[in-house]
Structure formats: structure tokens, C-alpha cells
């Protein structure tokens, strides 16, 4: 069997294409001098069915569903959509199946310009599936999710020089078992890694955590793994020789970041009329990645990521509020007072 991942027809004649044989399957990945993608994402994708009700149901009751809406989600899924809307050539790598949830994900990604041609297909595999009850009386949500048939691919399905085809590899916590392998092969291809980790299991692989080039963590989780309390102390403990930049986020309090062991800066949150904060963190990650591959410095990347997350919060759902690059730049221009400042 032959799979051709992400290669236009003309590239079949490309003598620089690399061939990999895995379990009697030949996988061909184009290795042009110009990298085909800006970002390849490895991690969670989801399909969310939103059920809008007038008020949350009581036990043993019946209640009318006012509206239904199906949306794409997942940390890596939404991050890649954000990166794509902001101009990055994005691709997803993960197992997809031959089922309604997988087909919906592929269609949604295609509409947003995210390439799924890298994805191996497995009959039973599917995205994370969630049913979300939205209480219209107070905008609160109750999420019922299933991880059935969602799992990371085996490392043998990921060619060791696949990272040569992109400028940045993105990993989230759902693919934690693959993190060590992905960091290793990415660095062997001179491709930096950006990661968002939310599981204490990463402490079983301290050398892998230390090797991540761009690390984005929530303030709460970062405090747990460093046993530090202040943002400055947390970032000092996250500093390693490999680390290009570490960012810790705290919602309305903004974020703190440190580049290569330098000064610590606080970036305040942009003030908006928030409607729904679902996916704001995911959008932050995607916007940050998009800024990096455009060649922006870390400070600019943090400003743009913070602004994109704030703009997303002004619309319901995880993706509806993700801005275009032009809209993002105009928003930042309209808020010139929101800039990072050095933490003394």
C-alpha cells in the first residue's frame, strides 16, 4: 500500500522526496528546499454538539432543546485553525477514521485551510466527542465528553524526518506519550517545538520538558510543577538552555513571559466584552505559533496571541471569534496602551 501525504502531483517527480517503509506501507513526504507547512500540529481534535436550553434540567425531568449546533474543537484543532486564519500554512497529524465525526473534522479543517493529508486512517479512530449543554439563562456550560476511539498514533506511523516539512511542530498534552519522540525528531530536523502541557505525567520526562523550545503553561499548572508561586520565580525555574521562551497564562490577569533567561515581562489582558471564553487558550497558542513562523520576535508574538484570545472571547463558540491577521492588527492598533512591562 502507498500513502502520499501532502504532495501535489508535480512533487511525485521530485528527486528530493523521502521514502519511509512502515509495516509494509510506503509513506512519501515531500522534502522541498522550502518547507511545505509552517506548523504541523499533534494533539487533541474534537467535535462538539452544543445543546442550547432555557435552563439547566433538573434530575428526572424533560426539557426542550432550543437550538443545536455542531462545532469543531480540541486544543490542537482550534490552535491550528487560529494559525491558519492568521496566515500560517497549517497541517494536522493524528488518527482519523471512516465515520461521521472524522468526516466532519476533515470538512471543517478544509474550510479553514488546515491540511489533513498527513493523517493515517483507522477504521475505528475518531476525534474526541462532546455534548455540551448551554444554559441560556446564565451562559453556563456543562460538558459531557468521550475519549472513546481517540488516541495518539503509534510512533512508527510518524516518519523521523517529517519535521523537515515544517517550520514549527506544535504538541498538546493529549499526545503526551509522543512528546519525547516528537521533540527528538523535531530537533534532529532543526525544527523548533511549541507545546502546551497540562498533565503532571510530564514530570516523568524532565529532560523532554527542558528541551521544549517554546513552552506555554497555565499559571496554576506551572506553579504545580515548579513549586514556585510568583510568576517571576516560576519562569526562572522553567528556564533551560534549550528554552527560547516560556509563557504562563492566567486569564483576565494576562500572561508573563521570559525569553532565553532574560527579564520577565507581564502582558496585561486586553479588555473586551467577553461572551464566551471557550477556546481562548487554544487560540492564544495558535496565534503565538503563527506569529513565530511569520518571523515576529517573542514580544510581538505574545502581544498578538493575547489580542487574538481576547477577540475570540467576544463571540460564542471556540472558533467563531478567531480574527484574521488584518483584523488582529487593527485591534492592536486601537489598543496602544496594552503592552508588556518589565517585572522588577
Amino acid at each position: 500500500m502507498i500513502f502520499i501525504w501532502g504532495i501535489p502531483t508535480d512533487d511525485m517527480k521530485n528527486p528530493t522526496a523521502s521514502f519511509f517503509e512502515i509495516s509494509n506501507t510506503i509513506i512519501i513526504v515531500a522534502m522541498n528546499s522550502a518547507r511545505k507547512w509552517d506548523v504541523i500540529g499533534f494533539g487533541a481534535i474534537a467535535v462538539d454538539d452544543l445543546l442550547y436550553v432555557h435552563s439547566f434540567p433538573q434530575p428526572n425531568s424533560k426539557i426542550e432543546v432550543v437550538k443545536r449546533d455542531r462545532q469543531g474543537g480540541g486544543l490542537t484543532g482550534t490552535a491550528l485553525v487560529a494559525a491558519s486564519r492568521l496566515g500560517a500554512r497549517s497541517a494536522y497529524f493524528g488518527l482519523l477514521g471512516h465515520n461521521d465525526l472524522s468526516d466532519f473534522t476533515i470538512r471543517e479543517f478544509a474550510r479553514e485551510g488546515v491540511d489533513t493529508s498527513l493523517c493515517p486512517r483507522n477504521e475505528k479512530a475518531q476525534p474526541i466527542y462532546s455534548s455540551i449543554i448551554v444554559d441560556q439563562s446564565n451562559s453556563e456550560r456543562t460538558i459531557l465528553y468521550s475519549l472513546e476511539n481517540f488516541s495518539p498514533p503509534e510512533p512508527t506511523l510518524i516518519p523521523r524526518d517529517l519535521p523537515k516539512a515544517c517550520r514549527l511542530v506544535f504538541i498538546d498534552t493529549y499526545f503526551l506519550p509522543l512528546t519525547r519522540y516528537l521533540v527528538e525528531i523535531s530537533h534532529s530536523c532543526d525544527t523548533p517545538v511549541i507545546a502546551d502541557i497540562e498533565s503532571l505525567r510530564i514530570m516523568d520526562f524532565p529532560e523532554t520538558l527542558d528541551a521544549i523550545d517554546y513552552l506555554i503553561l497555565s499559571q496554576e499548572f506551572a506553579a504545580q510543577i515548579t513549586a514556585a508561586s510568583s510568576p517571576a520565580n516560576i519562569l526562572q525555574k522553567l528556564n533551560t538552555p534549550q528554552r527560547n521562551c516560556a509563557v504562563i497564562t492566567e486569564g483576565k490577569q494576562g500572561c508573563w513571559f521570559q525569553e532565553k533567561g532574560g527579564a520577565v515581562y507581564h502582558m496585561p489582558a486586553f479588555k473586551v466584552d467577553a461572551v464566551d471564553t471557550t477556546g481562548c487558550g487554544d487560540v492564544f497558542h495558535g496565534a503565538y505559533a503563527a506569529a513565530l513562523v511569520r518571523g515576529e520576535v517573542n514580544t510581538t508574538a505574545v502581544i498578538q496571541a493575547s489580542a487574538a484570545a481576547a477577540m475570540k472571547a467576544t463571540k460564542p463558540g471556540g472558533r467563531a471569534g478567531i480574527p484574521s491577521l488584518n483584523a488582529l492588527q487593527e485591534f492592536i492598533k486601537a489598543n496602544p496602551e496594552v503592552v508588556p512591562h518589565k517585572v522588577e
Side-chain angles (χ1 to χ4, degrees):
M1 182 183 297
I2 296 178
F3 290 159
I4 305 172
W5 286 355
I7 305 177
T9 304
D10 292 343
D11 283 337
M12 285 296 293
K13 301 176 182 178
N14 182 0
T16 63
S18 294
F19 291 75
F20 307 89
E21 187 169 357
I22 299 175
S23 301
N24 299 318
T25 299
I26 298 175
I27 300 171
I28 306 173
V29 180
M31 299 300 181
N32 299 319
S33 56
R35 302 198 179 203
K36 179 176 176 62
W37 298 283
D38 292 319
V39 184
I40 297 179
F42 298 81
I45 53 173
V47 175
D48 299 333
D49 280 342
L50 284 80
L51 308 176
Y52 293 86
V53 297
H54 291 301
S55 61
F56 193 81
Q58 297 296 317
N60 300 314
S61 66
K62 294 182 180 180
I63 191 167
E64 178 187 3
V65 174
V66 179
K67 183 177 71 169
R68 294 176 181 266
D69 187 22
R70 173 167 282 191
Q71 300 178 358
L75 199 162
T76 291
T78 298
L80 290 174
V81 168
S84 182
R85 287 196 195 175
L86 293 168
R89 298 166 301 164
S90 304
Y92 176 69
F93 192 108
L95 294 176
L96 290 173
H98 298 283
N99 48 62
D100 179 56
L101 297 179
S102 295
D103 292 344
F104 175 82
T105 297
I106 292 170
R107 291 195 303 271
E108 284 293 291
F109 271 157
R111 187 169 63 87
E112 295 285 0
V114 178
D115 192 345
T116 56
S117 63
L118 290 170
C119 295
R121 302 297 287 269
N122 176 294
E123 191 64 33
K124 293 184 178 180
Q126 65 183 33
I128 299 168
Y129 177 56
S130 302
S131 296
I132 303 175
I133 302 173
V134 183
D135 185 339
Q136 292 186 317
S137 68
N138 55 21
S139 298
E140 292 183 353
R141 296 177 170 220
T142 301
I143 301 174
L144 313 173
Y145 70 93
S146 170
L147 297 176
E148 183 180 5
N149 294 327
F150 174 81
S151 63
E154 292 296 322
T156 52
L157 287 175
I158 307 172
R160 291 191 63 86
D161 56 354
L162 177 60
K164 287 183 180 178
C166 67
R167 300 171 62 194
L168 187 67
V169 165
F170 180 88
I171 311 168
D172 80 28
T173 197
Y174 280 87
F175 275 29
L176 189 63
L178 287 174
T179 301
R180 178 160 52 181
Y181 177 71
L182 290 171
V183 170
E184 175 193 337
I185 65 172
S186 296
H187 287 168
S188 71
C189 296
D190 296 322
T191 303
V193 172
I194 178 173
D196 172 57
I197 306 297
E198 300 172 355
S199 171
L200 289 173
R201 287 182 297 156
I202 190 63
M203 301 309 292
D204 294 335
F205 314 102
E207 71 288 349
T208 299
L209 179 65
D210 290 349
I212 294 168
D213 303 270
Y214 301 92
L215 183 65
I216 303 175
L217 303 175
S218 70
Q219 193 278 339
E220 181 180 3
F221 181 72
Q224 279 186 284
I225 66 172
T226 61
S229 55
S230 74
N233 288 340
I234 291 171
L235 288 169
Q236 290 293 343
K237 290 194 173 185
L238 290 175
N239 179 45
T240 67
Q242 181 66 35
R243 188 91 68 231
N244 189 300
C245 187
V247 184
I248 55 174
T249 61
E250 196 179 4
K252 293 180 180 179
Q253 304 304 315
C255 66
W256 290 260
F257 63 98
Q258 181 185 41
E259 183 176 0
K260 285 201 173 292
V264 173
Y265 286 85
H266 175 240
M267 175 66 197
F270 287 86
K271 294 181 179 180
V272 295
D273 293 326
V275 173
D276 185 353
T277 59
T278 304
C280 284
D282 309 339
V283 172
F284 185 104
H285 304 138
Y288 183 83
L292 291 179
V293 298
R294 281 199 307 275
E296 305 287 7
V297 298
N298 276 301
T299 299
T300 302
V302 170
I303 293 171
Q304 293 187 355
S306 299
M311 295 177 74
K312 191 245 72 75
T314 62
K315 293 185 180 180
R319 296 179 179 175
I322 301 173
S324 66
L325 182 57
N326 286 339
L328 178 66
Q329 292 170 336
E330 289 300 316
F331 178 81
I332 293 171
K333 286 181 182 179
N335 294 273
E337 74 286 356
V338 187
V339 293
H341 62 268
K342 187 176 179 179
V343 176
E344 301 297 342

